[in-house]
Amino acid sequence: MAYQGGCLCGKVRYTANTDRQDLSRCHCKQCRQWGGAFDSLGLKHANLTITSGEELIKWYLSSDVARRGFCQECETNLFWQADRHPEWSQFIAVSAGTLDEPTNTALTKHIFCAHNGDYYEITDDLTQFPEDG
């Protein structure tokens, strides 16, 4: 399946090719600081093509293993990639909010639940992983 998506201002656009339709919601402190729990579609980095605005993507090294990509123009959070993690470096997480609709996806799990904020509870019946899932 080829997903299309982009940032709020429309200058960064991408195509993500994957058979996956499951989304995860990350509750780690960094994701919450980045804009709230992060809903994303995971895929191999090789299956992501930036079709316009690649020069506008700013990468922020948010930890010793991961970076986050956003549009410099409108500051839309686009990508998370553990490019320095030996097991995860070939994958990238695409922000579900940037996917064009209909997405034909569904949230299926919560990750890093041990780190969720004290200001909310996870109350649905989806699978919860204390750390990564």
Side-chain angles (χ1 to χ4, degrees):
M1 174 173 251
Y3 295 95
Q4 307 293 319
C7 65
L8 185 61
C9 70
K11 292 181 179 176
V12 175
R13 297 287 302 163
Y14 63 81
T15 299
N17 290 295
T18 182
D19 291 333
R20 297 186 65 169
Q21 294 178 291
D22 58 316
L23 303 177
S24 63
R25 177 170 290 158
C26 182
H27 296 273
C28 79
K29 176 71 170 169
Q30 287 184 353
C31 281
R32 289 185 289 112
Q33 284 179 307
W34 197 34
F38 182 59
D39 296 347
S40 66
L41 175 68
L43 62 141
K44 288 189 175 183
H45 188 264
N47 293 337
L48 177 71
T49 303
I50 307 301
T51 56
S52 66
E54 186 166 9
E55 71 281 0
L56 293 173
I57 299 172
K58 171 88 173 174
W59 289 96
Y60 171 70
L61 187 60
S62 58
S63 74
D64 58 344
V65 297
R67 64 185 187 155
R68 296 165 189 272
F70 63 94
C71 173
Q72 291 183 78
E73 185 73 22
C74 65
E75 300 183 357
T76 297
N77 299 330
L78 294 163
F79 311 114
W80 177 91
Q81 184 184 19
D83 61 336
R84 290 165 179 78
H85 191 285
E87 296 173 33
W88 300 342
S89 62
Q90 67 179 329
F91 297 99
I92 191 163
V94 175
S95 172
T98 66
L99 296 170
D100 293 346
E101 293 180 345
T103 66
N104 300 310
T105 61
L107 187 65
T108 59
K109 64 182 176 182
H110 297 273
I111 60 174
F112 290 96
C113 296
H115 306 277
N116 74 299
D118 62 0
Y119 52 90
Y120 68 94
E121 293 181 32
I122 303 169
T123 58
D124 59 35
D125 293 329
L126 299 177
T127 303
Q128 296 183 26
F129 294 93
E131 301 297 328
D132 63 324

